[in-house]
Amino acid sequence: MNLTESLLHALKAHGARRIFGIPGDFALPYFGIIEKSGILPLHTLSHEPGVGFAADAAARVQGGLGVAAVTYGAGALNLVNAVAAAYAEKSPVVVLSGGPGKREAHSGLLLHHQAKSLDSQYRIYEEITCDRTRLDDAAKAPAEIARVLASALRRSQPVYIELPRDMVDVPCDPVVPEPPAPVDDDALSACVDELLARLASAKSPVLMAGIEVRRYGLEDKVAELSRRLALPVVTSFMGRGLLADADAPLAGTYMGVAGEPGISHLVEASDGLLLLGEIVCDTNFAVSERKIDLRRTIRALDGQVATGYHVYPDIPLAALVDRLLVRVPATGRHFDVRRTEFPHGLVADDSPIAPTDIATAVNDLMAAHGRMPIACDIGDCLFTAMDIEHTALVAPGYYATMGFGVPAGLGVQAATGQRPLVLVGDGAFQMTGWELGNCARYGWDPIVIVFNNASWEMLRTFQPESSFNDLDEWKFADMARALGGDGVRVRTKRELAAALARAHATRGRFQLVEAMIPRGVLSKTLERFVAGVRRLSMPGQPAGTAAEPSRVPAGLEGNQARARTMG
Ligand code: TPW
Ligand code: MG
């Protein structure tokens, strides 16, 4: 076995199922081995950000590892934003990068694709990965690979592996996976004792499920736990889509001032808020009407548990949930909650389309034909998605990078075999929409709804006076045929409903529905978000005046709303 084959077998053994990538001359040798060995299938895309987003989405929906394979320099540095997104949102993407051969690294010549030094790339990746290795020693490579892949799975974050191009086919031993890290049983017991005591003494405990619940494959167990503990469950904005397929008492999604008032009250009035795997970030919490004192919550995140001022280090979420299930017996009683209701029954008339109509039309479609997984970009499309029935959803709800939606949809279809629905704004589609051209050769056929308001509308809501937010009206539907799909532009609710039905009935080619939305028309959720942010951040400010980001208090402690654009 050679070094690349050893790596590929290890990736597979750690849960990778496919590789997304773009080669280059530093990468050709190991790409050759990927193709010839057939250990993992390879999907090439058009632009490295798309590679990263697809690998990230595949990891999110299927569990295990996503793999993004690129060349040195121009390739790997083009991937940086997507890997930073995966780092922030805890998606275990393995970055494989070709690298200069050991001998050429010492030739004295500057090498093409080199930035400042040959190590610049490695150092840049130190900031956005949780572990790294350069495989320049075949004897050490198996242990290095084992360590790095174990880190990716344990931390649920990206890692970086560089393959010098003259190392890829040297003989190498197979990788022996690292044993799971031991958990201190006494610490786990003490932690569970305190946690259960806190919940038992709370009058209105609530469980907020965060993304780690999915990252560590715990959705069914957490659903069971919440029933046994009779805990109403909410997700955060970022965690939307979690537990959609689990049998959980799921009330809805917490979005503070932007969300359903009942859910906001449930969370903000809780005296026992259990944050399981929830990233404590501004998009999740800064929209709180009433301050959530984080010190009074119980937080399990990043392999530790904090209650009040006690911190239990080295308690993995999976171990915590397993132990809680051992300690809390099933009662046999059925516990459920009132659930958020979502709009259904689009009045398919000749009036123009508002974002919320798209949510209604999608709900109607899914009610008739079954749920689809959603890949969503940032922009009003993501706020609109909050009005769509609970279904699997991948979106950059915290890091908030544009360009995620389309390539993530490709990653979802590759990973699950299910046909996804992609929601994307015109601005974001301009960034990565071209990746749809790769659907034909892999047989992917997502339904893509482009919210075309000829605008960077979310930015406009925060700074209405700037004319740079006006975009030209690109004719996206016309581009679909050239890329191997079908496209249709719709202006009315009637046309929207008909186009979605037709798209759903047409398999085998991607279907692009370009929904024309007048500038300034927002989803109900974004409207509430904007109004709430203004109200919270600038008391006394007349409605309709843009808040100025720099004057708004930031920081989580105070849970003040920040007039941020998610950008
Ligand atoms: C990679 C900053 C956040 S939202 C936004 C920008 C430019 C406008 C999005 O326009 P779109 O959607 O897609 O038409 P909509 O509903 O607002 O009209 N560059 C990157 N990521 C972010 N977040 C930005 C810039 C931003
Ligand atoms: Mg737009």
Side-chain angles (χ1 to χ4, degrees):
M1 172 182 307
N2 65 40
L3 184 139
T4 307
E5 289 164 346
S6 174
L7 170 64
L8 293 169
H9 282 298
L11 285 167
K12 192 168 180 181
H14 286 76
R17 290 293 169 264
R18 58 195 40 78
I19 297 175
F20 296 92
I22 299 179
D25 60 344
F26 286 103
L28 281 172
Y30 86 87
F31 268 68
I33 297 171
I34 292 174
E35 183 171 86
K36 217 162 89 201
S37 70
I39 297 164
L40 289 173
L42 170 68
H43 304 302
T44 62
L45 299 182
S46 303
H47 194 206
E48 283 82 1
V51 167
F53 293 141
D56 174 341
R60 292 182 194 215
V61 291
Q62 108 200 342
L65 298 170
V67 187
V70 291
T71 192
Y72 179 68
L77 297 185
N78 223 352
L79 191 67
V80 163
N81 178 57
V83 178
Y87 185 85
E89 302 201 353
K90 307 204 67 170
S91 180
V93 173
V94 180
V95 177
L96 305 181
S97 173
K102 276 208 288 190
R103 253 169 294 120
E104 32 183 1
H106 300 111
S107 72
L109 296 175
L110 290 176
L111 294 181
H112 67 288
H113 294 334
Q114 171 174 345
K116 188 172 172 187
S117 80
L118 282 180
D119 282 340
S120 299
Q121 171 172 319
Y122 195 95
R123 285 205 293 273
I124 288 167
Y125 270 90
E126 278 176 355
E127 287 296 313
I128 52 173
T129 55
C130 70
D131 206 349
R132 294 148 296 279
T133 185
R134 179 181 290 138
L135 301 178
D136 52 10
D137 181 339
K140 292 188 182 144
E144 287 287 298
I145 294 168
R147 186 196 75 241
V148 166
L149 298 187
S151 297
L153 289 177
R154 190 175 60 249
R155 304 264 310 257
S156 192
Q157 276 179 322
V159 292
Y160 173 82
I161 299 178
E162 190 171 310
L163 292 116
R165 64 171 152 182
D166 56 4
M167 290 295 296
V168 300
D169 59 358
V170 299
C172 183
D173 287 340
V175 173
V176 180
E178 287 196 346
V183 180
D184 180 333
D185 203 62
D186 293 341
L188 185 57
S189 291
C191 172
V192 167
D193 283 345
E194 184 174 349
L195 194 156
L196 289 175
R198 284 284 306 275
L199 288 179
S201 67
K203 281 197 230 26
S204 51
V206 173
L207 189 156
M208 190 186 285
I211 47 136
E212 280 191 354
V213 169
R214 164 168 281 186
R215 303 290 190 266
Y216 294 111
L218 299 171
E219 285 173 278
D220 288 335
K221 287 181 178 176
V222 168
E224 173 66 22
L225 182 66
S226 54
R227 285 201 185 284
R228 290 191 192 175
L229 285 166
L231 285 176
V233 180
V234 298
T235 76
S236 58
F237 180 65
M238 193 188 166
R240 177 59 173 239
L242 282 169
L243 300 167
D245 298 316
D247 185 20
L250 181 62
T253 298
Y254 173 71
M255 285 187 293
V257 289
E260 201 201 302
I263 305 276
S264 300
H265 182 261
L266 183 73
V267 170
E268 290 168 15
S270 171
D271 57 349
L273 183 58
L274 172 59
L275 303 171
L276 270 193
E278 187 69 80
I279 294 181
V280 184
C281 63
D282 53 0
T283 48
N284 284 343
F285 291 102
V287 285
S288 309
E289 178 95 60
R290 222 175 102 179
K291 177 171 161 165
I292 297 175
D293 185 349
L294 288 172
R295 291 166 306 185
R296 296 185 52 204
T297 61
I298 307 163
R299 302 176 305 284
L301 183 74
D302 288 335
Q304 61 177 35
V305 179
T307 74
Y309 293 102
H310 294 174
V311 176
Y312 297 86
D314 301 324
I315 307 280
L317 191 62
L320 177 72
V321 170
D322 281 341
R323 181 59 62 88
L324 283 166
L325 283 172
V326 170
R327 290 282 301 276
V328 184
T331 60
R333 265 176 286 132
H334 187 76
F335 173 73
D336 216 336
V337 292
R338 198 181 68 78
R339 289 162 190 261
T340 304
E341 280 168 23
F342 299 104
H344 280 266
L346 184 74
V347 179
D349 59 17
D350 293 323
S351 57
I353 299 165
T356 307
D357 298 324
I358 297 178
T360 310
V362 168
N363 286 335
D364 291 348
L365 186 79
M366 291 200 195
H369 300 289
R371 287 182 302 165
M372 299 170 77
I374 296 179
C376 191
D377 220 291
I378 194 72
D380 200 11
C381 55
L382 184 52
F383 288 91
T384 302
M386 299 300 135
D387 270 329
I388 294 177
E389 292 281 352
H390 291 284
T391 187
L393 171 79
V394 289
Y398 159 41
Y399 184 79
T401 177
M402 287 163 75
F404 180 85
V406 168
L410 307 187
V412 167
Q413 185 151 15
T416 65
Q418 286 174 285
R419 187 183 207 189
L421 178 68
V422 175
L423 306 179
V424 54
D426 57 319
F429 193 91
Q430 287 183 12
M431 292 189 178
T432 54
W434 284 104
E435 296 288 4
L436 286 176
N438 295 299
C439 287
R441 65 195 157 125
Y442 297 117
W444 299 326
D445 60 354
I447 299 177
V448 182
I449 305 181
V450 182
F451 290 51
N452 191 356
N453 47 17
S455 169
W456 286 326
E457 194 61 39
M458 249 187 77
L459 297 190
R460 186 192 309 281
T461 60
F462 290 96
Q463 197 163 290
E465 68 277 17
S466 299
S467 56
F468 53 67
N469 291 317
D470 295 344
L471 301 180
D472 272 352
E473 194 190 283
W474 291 25
K475 296 195 167 59
F476 297 103
D478 287 354
M479 290 160 44
R481 185 160 294 276
L483 295 178
D486 296 324
V488 57
R489 175 177 268 204
V490 295
R491 289 186 182 280
T492 66
K493 297 185 182 114
R494 188 194 309 279
E495 290 169 356
L496 172 67
L500 276 181
R502 201 165 46 245
H504 190 273
T506 312
R507 293 297 316 245
R509 295 187 298 281
F510 79 81
Q511 300 292 305
L512 190 150
V513 177
E514 183 188 20
M516 303 307 291
I517 298 166
R519 278 188 193 145
V521 178
L522 306 178
S523 68
K524 293 209 176 93
T525 308
L526 182 54
E527 248 169 30
R528 282 199 302 260
F529 181 81
V530 173
V533 163
R534 281 184 193 148
R535 183 156 46 83
L536 284 180
S537 59
M538 311 211 100
Q541 180 94 11
T545 316
E548 218 179 276
S550 57
R551 275 199 255 136
V552 177
L556 286 165
E557 269 299 286
N559 282 319
Q560 299 288 338
R562 278 214 278 158
R564 71 194 294 277
T565 57
M566 321 221 18

